[in-house]
């Protein structure tokens, strides 16, 4: 019995040590990024991907912080609103990640438009991804399963023009 308790204590200590090491490594990498990229680049990241930046790395734990003003070029999708499920959020541009999958948005409150698909409103298939949940906050697509055929939604572009859409079909894809 005493051996089991000792093993649990050791595991708990190991987890704490790994967590602390992980925090130091993350902080070190961030500071290294500041040193290598310069302050302007780091500030650009804080503004949540404007202009020509595409997310190509999926993180294990995306941010849950509220997002301030978000700008994209006039011809790019900026925001999606799905009134029938009471959700809206900014749209990041996402590409292919380190696992050869479509990257996920870096914030649970944002959607991600896959840049190798058609822009929303153009003819063809447009792929928009998003998180269902975060740790503390509901993700942008938490209630996506409540969306119904015929529901309307809109995509706002960087020039603030809005394009309206209607759900034509619903399919559940394997993950």
């Amino acid at each position: 019995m005493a051996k089991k308790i000792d093993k649990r204590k050791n595991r708990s200590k190991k987890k704490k040590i790994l967590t602390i090491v992980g925090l130091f490594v993350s902080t070190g990498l961030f500071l290294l990024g500041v040193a290598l990229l310069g302050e302007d680049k780091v500030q650009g990241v804080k503004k949540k991907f404007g202009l020509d930046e595409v997310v190509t790395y999926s993180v294990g734990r995306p941010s849950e912080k509220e997002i301030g003003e978000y700008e994209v070029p006039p011809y790019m999708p900026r925001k999606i609103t799905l009134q029938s499920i009471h959700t809206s959020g900014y749209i990041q541009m996402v590409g292919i990640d380190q696992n050869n999958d479509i990257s996920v948005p870096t914030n649970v409150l944002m959607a991600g438009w896959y840049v190798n698909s058609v822009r929303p409103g153009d003819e063809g298939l447009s792929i928009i991804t998003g998180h269902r949940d975060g740790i503390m906050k509901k993700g942008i697509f938490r209630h996506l399963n409540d969306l119904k055929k015929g529901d309307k939604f809109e995509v706002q572009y960087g020039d603030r023009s809005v394009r309206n859409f209607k759900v034509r079909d619903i399919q559940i894809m394997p993950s």
Side-chain angles (χ1 to χ4, degrees):
M1 180 78 163
K3 286 183 182 181
K4 285 185 180 180
I5 292 171
D6 287 341
K7 285 182 182 180
R8 285 186 197 149
K9 285 182 183 177
N10 285 339
R11 280 189 207 139
S12 179
K13 286 180 185 176
K14 285 180 184 177
K15 284 183 183 178
K16 286 179 186 175
I17 290 169
L18 289 175
T19 302
I20 292 168
V21 169
L23 288 174
F24 284 130
V25 170
S26 297
T27 304
L29 290 175
F30 175 76
L31 293 175
L32 180 62
V34 171
L36 293 176
L37 298 174
E39 194 168 326
D40 290 343
K41 185 68 171 174
V42 173
Q43 285 180 352
V45 172
K46 286 181 184 175
K47 291 178 186 172
K48 296 293 180 197
F49 299 94
L51 300 178
D52 298 323
E53 296 191 45
V54 177
V55 177
T56 58
Y57 190 86
S58 295
V59 296
R61 185 170 177 196
S63 174
E64 296 184 31
K65 291 182 180 177
E66 294 296 324
I67 300 156
E69 191 58 24
Y70 182 73
E71 298 300 324
V72 298
Y75 53 88
M76 300 303 281
R78 178 178 177 266
K79 187 174 185 178
I80 186 168
T81 302
L82 300 108
Q83 290 182 348
S84 64
I85 60 170
H86 309 288
T87 193
S88 70
Y90 293 117
I91 301 172
Q92 276 184 322
M93 295 177 281
V94 297
I96 298 296
D97 71 5
Q98 70 275 16
N99 301 314
N100 214 24
D101 293 324
I102 295 176
S103 298
V104 296
T106 59
N107 188 304
V108 299
L109 306 174
M110 295 185 85
W113 167 59
Y114 178 48
V115 296
N116 293 325
S117 70
V118 173
R119 276 186 312 169
D122 290 351
E123 192 171 326
L125 176 66
S126 181
I127 299 173
I128 297 180
T129 66
H131 296 278
R132 186 175 194 280
D133 286 316
I135 302 295
M136 301 298 288
K137 292 189 178 183
K138 295 176 181 176
I140 186 171
F141 290 149
R142 172 69 169 119
H143 299 288
L144 195 62
N145 59 330
D146 296 334
L147 203 61
K148 295 177 183 76
K149 196 172 178 177
D151 284 352
K152 295 178 181 174
F153 65 98
E154 63 184 39
V155 173
Q156 180 190 76
Y157 275 72
D159 64 0
R160 304 306 194 263
S161 64
V162 174
R163 297 187 183 161
N164 295 298
F165 301 91
K166 184 165 78 173
V167 176
R168 283 201 248 176
D169 192 28
I170 296 174
Q171 295 180 17
I172 297 177
M173 306 300 288
S175 48

